[in-house]
Short mmCIF file of all heavy atoms in Angstrom, two decimals:
data_model
loop_
_atom_site.label_atom_id
_atom_site.label_comp_id
_atom_site.label_asym_id
_atom_site.label_seq_id
_atom_site.Cartn_x
_atom_site.Cartn_y
_atom_site.Cartn_z
N LYS A 1 224.57 -103.16 -121.89
CA LYS A 1 224.96 -101.87 -122.40
C LYS A 1 225.14 -100.90 -121.30
O LYS A 1 226.08 -100.09 -121.31
CB LYS A 1 223.90 -101.40 -123.41
CG LYS A 1 223.80 -102.23 -124.72
CD LYS A 1 222.61 -101.75 -125.54
CE LYS A 1 222.49 -102.60 -126.80
NZ LYS A 1 221.32 -102.24 -127.61
N ASN A 2 224.28 -100.95 -120.26
CA ASN A 2 224.40 -100.05 -119.13
C ASN A 2 225.68 -100.35 -118.33
O ASN A 2 226.38 -99.44 -117.86
CB ASN A 2 223.20 -100.14 -118.21
CG ASN A 2 221.97 -99.50 -118.91
OD1 ASN A 2 222.08 -98.65 -119.75
ND2 ASN A 2 220.77 -99.96 -118.54
N LEU A 3 226.01 -101.64 -118.12
CA LEU A 3 227.27 -102.03 -117.43
C LEU A 3 228.45 -101.49 -118.22
O LEU A 3 229.41 -100.97 -117.63
CB LEU A 3 227.30 -103.54 -117.31
CG LEU A 3 226.44 -104.19 -116.26
CD1 LEU A 3 226.55 -105.73 -116.38
CD2 LEU A 3 226.83 -103.78 -114.88
N LEU A 4 228.46 -101.63 -119.53
CA LEU A 4 229.56 -101.21 -120.33
C LEU A 4 229.74 -99.67 -120.28
O LEU A 4 230.81 -99.18 -120.15
CB LEU A 4 229.35 -101.65 -121.82
CG LEU A 4 230.38 -101.17 -122.82
CD1 LEU A 4 231.77 -101.77 -122.46
CD2 LEU A 4 229.97 -101.59 -124.21
N LYS A 5 228.59 -98.97 -120.40
CA LYS A 5 228.61 -97.51 -120.35
C LYS A 5 229.22 -97.03 -119.01
O LYS A 5 230.14 -96.16 -119.03
CB LYS A 5 227.24 -96.93 -120.56
CG LYS A 5 227.09 -95.43 -120.35
CD LYS A 5 225.64 -95.01 -120.33
CE LYS A 5 225.52 -93.57 -119.89
NZ LYS A 5 224.10 -93.18 -119.78
N GLU A 6 228.76 -97.58 -117.92
CA GLU A 6 229.28 -97.18 -116.61
C GLU A 6 230.74 -97.43 -116.48
O GLU A 6 231.51 -96.64 -115.94
CB GLU A 6 228.46 -97.92 -115.52
CG GLU A 6 228.85 -97.51 -114.11
CD GLU A 6 228.06 -98.29 -113.07
OE1 GLU A 6 226.99 -98.89 -113.43
OE2 GLU A 6 228.38 -98.20 -111.91
N PHE A 7 231.19 -98.64 -116.96
CA PHE A 7 232.57 -99.03 -116.82
C PHE A 7 233.50 -98.09 -117.66
O PHE A 7 234.50 -97.56 -117.17
CB PHE A 7 232.78 -100.48 -117.26
CG PHE A 7 234.20 -100.95 -117.19
CD1 PHE A 7 234.74 -101.37 -115.98
CD2 PHE A 7 235.01 -100.95 -118.29
CE1 PHE A 7 236.02 -101.79 -115.91
CE2 PHE A 7 236.33 -101.38 -118.24
CZ PHE A 7 236.80 -101.80 -117.05
N LEU A 8 233.17 -97.84 -118.91
CA LEU A 8 234.03 -97.08 -119.83
C LEU A 8 234.07 -95.63 -119.40
O LEU A 8 235.15 -94.97 -119.44
CB LEU A 8 233.57 -97.21 -121.26
CG LEU A 8 233.73 -98.60 -121.91
CD1 LEU A 8 233.18 -98.55 -123.35
CD2 LEU A 8 235.18 -99.03 -121.88
N LEU A 9 232.94 -95.01 -119.02
CA LEU A 9 232.94 -93.62 -118.59
C LEU A 9 233.73 -93.47 -117.32
O LEU A 9 234.40 -92.45 -117.09
CB LEU A 9 231.47 -93.14 -118.42
CG LEU A 9 230.74 -92.92 -119.76
CD1 LEU A 9 229.33 -92.45 -119.42
CD2 LEU A 9 231.44 -91.94 -120.64
N CYS A 10 233.66 -94.45 -116.39
CA CYS A 10 234.50 -94.42 -115.16
C CYS A 10 235.94 -94.38 -115.50
O CYS A 10 236.73 -93.61 -114.92
CB CYS A 10 234.12 -95.61 -114.29
SG CYS A 10 235.04 -95.68 -112.73
N CYS A 11 236.39 -95.23 -116.45
CA CYS A 11 237.78 -95.24 -116.89
C CYS A 11 238.18 -93.93 -117.51
O CYS A 11 239.26 -93.47 -117.28
CB CYS A 11 238.01 -96.43 -117.87
SG CYS A 11 237.87 -98.05 -117.13
N ASP A 12 237.27 -93.35 -118.35
CA ASP A 12 237.61 -92.06 -119.01
C ASP A 12 237.79 -90.92 -117.97
O ASP A 12 238.57 -90.06 -118.21
CB ASP A 12 236.49 -91.75 -119.98
CG ASP A 12 236.66 -92.49 -121.33
OD1 ASP A 12 237.65 -93.20 -121.44
OD2 ASP A 12 235.78 -92.32 -122.19
N LEU A 13 237.00 -90.94 -116.93
CA LEU A 13 237.16 -89.92 -115.87
C LEU A 13 238.58 -89.91 -115.32
O LEU A 13 239.15 -88.85 -115.11
CB LEU A 13 236.19 -90.17 -114.73
CG LEU A 13 234.72 -89.77 -115.02
CD1 LEU A 13 233.83 -90.15 -113.83
CD2 LEU A 13 234.62 -88.26 -115.22
N VAL A 14 239.13 -91.09 -115.12
CA VAL A 14 240.50 -91.24 -114.56
C VAL A 14 241.52 -90.87 -115.65
O VAL A 14 242.51 -90.20 -115.41
CB VAL A 14 240.77 -92.58 -113.99
CG1 VAL A 14 242.18 -92.72 -113.49
CG2 VAL A 14 239.73 -92.88 -112.87
N LYS A 15 241.30 -91.34 -116.92
CA LYS A 15 242.25 -91.17 -117.97
C LYS A 15 242.35 -89.71 -118.45
O LYS A 15 243.46 -89.23 -118.69
CB LYS A 15 241.90 -92.08 -119.14
CG LYS A 15 242.12 -93.58 -118.87
CD LYS A 15 241.35 -94.43 -119.85
CE LYS A 15 241.65 -94.16 -121.28
NZ LYS A 15 240.85 -95.04 -122.19
N PHE A 16 241.23 -89.06 -118.56
CA PHE A 16 241.19 -87.71 -119.21
C PHE A 16 240.88 -86.57 -118.31
O PHE A 16 241.23 -85.47 -118.55
CB PHE A 16 240.21 -87.76 -120.38
CG PHE A 16 240.50 -88.79 -121.37
CD1 PHE A 16 239.59 -89.85 -121.66
CD2 PHE A 16 241.68 -88.76 -122.15
CE1 PHE A 16 239.91 -90.79 -122.59
CE2 PHE A 16 241.97 -89.70 -123.08
CZ PHE A 16 241.09 -90.77 -123.28
N ALA A 17 240.12 -86.82 -117.24
CA ALA A 17 239.62 -85.67 -116.38
C ALA A 17 240.36 -85.62 -115.06
O ALA A 17 239.99 -84.85 -114.23
CB ALA A 17 238.11 -85.81 -116.14
N ARG A 18 241.43 -86.41 -114.93
CA ARG A 18 242.26 -86.38 -113.65
C ARG A 18 241.40 -86.62 -112.42
O ARG A 18 241.64 -86.09 -111.35
CB ARG A 18 243.00 -85.07 -113.55
CG ARG A 18 243.97 -84.83 -114.66
CD ARG A 18 244.99 -83.81 -114.30
NE ARG A 18 246.11 -83.82 -115.22
CZ ARG A 18 247.22 -83.10 -115.00
NH1 ARG A 18 247.33 -82.36 -113.93
NH2 ARG A 18 248.25 -83.16 -115.89
N TYR A 19 240.43 -87.52 -112.56
CA TYR A 19 239.58 -87.91 -111.42
C TYR A 19 240.33 -88.85 -110.53
O TYR A 19 240.98 -89.78 -111.02
CB TYR A 19 238.27 -88.55 -111.90
CG TYR A 19 237.43 -89.24 -110.88
CD1 TYR A 19 236.89 -88.50 -109.83
CD2 TYR A 19 237.20 -90.61 -110.93
CE1 TYR A 19 236.13 -89.11 -108.86
CE2 TYR A 19 236.43 -91.21 -110.03
CZ TYR A 19 235.87 -90.51 -108.99
OH TYR A 19 235.12 -91.08 -108.03
N SER A 20 240.33 -88.67 -109.26
CA SER A 20 241.04 -89.51 -108.26
C SER A 20 240.00 -90.37 -107.54
O SER A 20 239.38 -89.87 -106.62
CB SER A 20 241.86 -88.71 -107.28
OG SER A 20 242.84 -87.88 -107.95
N PRO A 21 239.80 -91.63 -107.99
CA PRO A 21 238.82 -92.46 -107.35
C PRO A 21 239.22 -92.95 -105.97
O PRO A 21 240.42 -93.06 -105.70
CB PRO A 21 238.73 -93.66 -108.34
CG PRO A 21 240.04 -93.70 -108.98
CD PRO A 21 240.54 -92.31 -109.06
N PRO A 22 238.25 -93.23 -105.09
CA PRO A 22 238.57 -93.82 -103.76
C PRO A 22 239.14 -95.17 -103.88
O PRO A 22 239.03 -95.84 -104.93
CB PRO A 22 237.24 -93.77 -103.02
CG PRO A 22 236.23 -93.74 -104.11
CD PRO A 22 236.83 -93.03 -105.24
N ALA A 23 239.76 -95.68 -102.78
CA ALA A 23 240.46 -96.96 -102.83
C ALA A 23 239.51 -98.10 -103.13
O ALA A 23 239.87 -99.01 -103.96
CB ALA A 23 241.18 -97.21 -101.49
N ASP A 24 238.28 -98.10 -102.55
CA ASP A 24 237.40 -99.23 -102.83
C ASP A 24 236.93 -99.24 -104.29
O ASP A 24 236.73 -100.36 -104.85
CB ASP A 24 236.14 -99.13 -101.90
CG ASP A 24 235.41 -97.79 -102.03
OD1 ASP A 24 236.02 -96.86 -102.59
OD2 ASP A 24 234.23 -97.75 -101.64
N GLU A 25 236.84 -98.06 -104.94
CA GLU A 25 236.48 -98.03 -106.36
C GLU A 25 237.59 -98.57 -107.20
O GLU A 25 237.41 -99.26 -108.18
CB GLU A 25 236.16 -96.60 -106.72
CG GLU A 25 235.58 -96.50 -108.13
CD GLU A 25 235.15 -95.05 -108.50
OE1 GLU A 25 234.53 -94.45 -107.60
OE2 GLU A 25 235.47 -94.59 -109.59
N ILE A 26 238.84 -98.23 -106.85
CA ILE A 26 240.00 -98.71 -107.57
C ILE A 26 240.07 -100.27 -107.51
O ILE A 26 240.31 -100.94 -108.48
CB ILE A 26 241.33 -98.13 -107.04
CG1 ILE A 26 241.32 -96.61 -107.27
CG2 ILE A 26 242.56 -98.77 -107.67
CD1 ILE A 26 242.47 -95.88 -106.65
N ASN A 27 239.87 -100.78 -106.29
CA ASN A 27 239.98 -102.23 -106.09
C ASN A 27 238.86 -102.99 -106.79
O ASN A 27 239.00 -104.22 -107.01
CB ASN A 27 239.97 -102.55 -104.59
CG ASN A 27 241.21 -101.99 -103.88
OD1 ASN A 27 242.28 -101.94 -104.49
ND2 ASN A 27 241.06 -101.61 -102.63
N SER A 28 237.78 -102.32 -107.13
CA SER A 28 236.63 -103.03 -107.75
C SER A 28 236.70 -103.01 -109.28
O SER A 28 235.79 -103.54 -109.93
CB SER A 28 235.34 -102.43 -107.30
OG SER A 28 235.18 -101.10 -107.77
N VAL A 29 237.70 -102.35 -109.88
CA VAL A 29 237.77 -102.22 -111.35
C VAL A 29 237.84 -103.56 -111.98
O VAL A 29 237.08 -103.87 -112.92
CB VAL A 29 238.95 -101.31 -111.74
CG1 VAL A 29 239.16 -101.38 -113.27
CG2 VAL A 29 238.67 -99.87 -111.36
N LEU A 30 238.77 -104.38 -111.58
CA LEU A 30 238.95 -105.75 -112.21
C LEU A 30 237.73 -106.60 -112.01
O LEU A 30 237.31 -107.32 -112.88
CB LEU A 30 240.19 -106.37 -111.68
CG LEU A 30 241.53 -105.73 -112.03
CD1 LEU A 30 242.72 -106.57 -111.62
CD2 LEU A 30 241.64 -105.41 -113.52
N ASP A 31 237.09 -106.48 -110.81
CA ASP A 31 235.89 -107.28 -110.56
C ASP A 31 234.76 -106.85 -111.51
O ASP A 31 234.00 -107.70 -112.00
CB ASP A 31 235.43 -107.11 -109.10
CG ASP A 31 236.44 -107.74 -108.10
OD1 ASP A 31 237.14 -108.69 -108.54
OD2 ASP A 31 236.48 -107.33 -106.95
N SER A 32 234.66 -105.53 -111.74
CA SER A 32 233.64 -105.04 -112.65
C SER A 32 233.87 -105.55 -114.06
O SER A 32 232.94 -105.92 -114.78
CB SER A 32 233.61 -103.45 -112.65
OG SER A 32 233.30 -102.95 -111.37
N ALA A 33 235.12 -105.53 -114.46
CA ALA A 33 235.48 -106.05 -115.81
C ALA A 33 235.13 -107.47 -115.97
O ALA A 33 234.56 -107.91 -116.97
CB ALA A 33 236.98 -105.75 -116.11
N LYS A 34 235.51 -108.30 -114.92
CA LYS A 34 235.25 -109.75 -115.01
C LYS A 34 233.77 -110.00 -114.97
O LYS A 34 233.32 -110.93 -115.63
CB LYS A 34 235.92 -110.45 -113.81
CG LYS A 34 237.46 -110.46 -113.97
CD LYS A 34 238.10 -111.10 -112.74
CE LYS A 34 239.67 -111.13 -112.86
NZ LYS A 34 240.30 -111.68 -111.67
N HIS A 35 233.01 -109.21 -114.18
CA HIS A 35 231.57 -109.41 -114.11
C HIS A 35 230.93 -109.11 -115.47
O HIS A 35 230.03 -109.83 -115.95
CB HIS A 35 230.97 -108.48 -113.10
CG HIS A 35 229.50 -108.49 -113.01
ND1 HIS A 35 228.82 -109.61 -112.54
CD2 HIS A 35 228.53 -107.53 -113.31
CE1 HIS A 35 227.48 -109.38 -112.61
NE2 HIS A 35 227.33 -108.11 -113.06
N PHE A 36 231.44 -108.06 -116.17
CA PHE A 36 230.86 -107.76 -117.50
C PHE A 36 231.13 -108.94 -118.46
O PHE A 36 230.30 -109.33 -119.27
CB PHE A 36 231.51 -106.48 -118.01
CG PHE A 36 231.05 -106.12 -119.44
CD1 PHE A 36 229.79 -105.63 -119.74
CD2 PHE A 36 231.96 -106.38 -120.47
CE1 PHE A 36 229.44 -105.35 -121.01
CE2 PHE A 36 231.59 -106.07 -121.78
CZ PHE A 36 230.31 -105.57 -122.04
N ILE A 37 232.38 -109.48 -118.43
CA ILE A 37 232.75 -110.54 -119.34
C ILE A 37 231.87 -111.81 -119.01
O ILE A 37 231.39 -112.48 -119.96
CB ILE A 37 234.23 -110.87 -119.24
CG1 ILE A 37 235.07 -109.67 -119.70
CG2 ILE A 37 234.59 -112.13 -120.01
CD1 ILE A 37 236.53 -109.78 -119.43
N SER A 38 231.72 -112.10 -117.76
CA SER A 38 230.93 -113.29 -117.41
C SER A 38 229.47 -113.14 -117.83
O SER A 38 228.85 -114.19 -118.13
CB SER A 38 231.01 -113.55 -115.88
OG SER A 38 230.33 -112.52 -115.18
N GLN A 39 228.99 -111.94 -117.85
CA GLN A 39 227.59 -111.68 -118.26
C GLN A 39 227.40 -111.80 -119.78
O GLN A 39 226.29 -111.95 -120.28
CB GLN A 39 227.08 -110.34 -117.75
CG GLN A 39 226.97 -110.22 -116.23
CD GLN A 39 225.84 -111.09 -115.68
OE1 GLN A 39 224.72 -110.96 -116.16
NE2 GLN A 39 226.11 -111.88 -114.68
N THR A 40 228.48 -111.58 -120.54
CA THR A 40 228.34 -111.47 -121.95
C THR A 40 229.06 -112.55 -122.81
O THR A 40 228.88 -112.66 -124.00
CB THR A 40 228.87 -110.09 -122.49
OG1 THR A 40 230.23 -110.01 -122.05
CG2 THR A 40 228.06 -108.96 -121.90
N LYS A 41 229.81 -113.43 -122.12
CA LYS A 41 230.68 -114.38 -122.86
C LYS A 41 229.84 -115.44 -123.58
O LYS A 41 230.32 -116.02 -124.52
CB LYS A 41 231.66 -115.02 -121.96
CG LYS A 41 231.09 -115.97 -120.89
CD LYS A 41 232.18 -116.62 -120.02
CE LYS A 41 231.62 -117.61 -119.06
NZ LYS A 41 232.69 -118.20 -118.25
#
């Protein structure tokens, strides 16, 4: 639940609040998504 909360709120910051994430954070988005799926599948 904590992994999911952190991931979705991070996405909302970019989608709705015009937050500009650093390059390393952008590159880690798919890894974070895959990690969440691997932990819950």
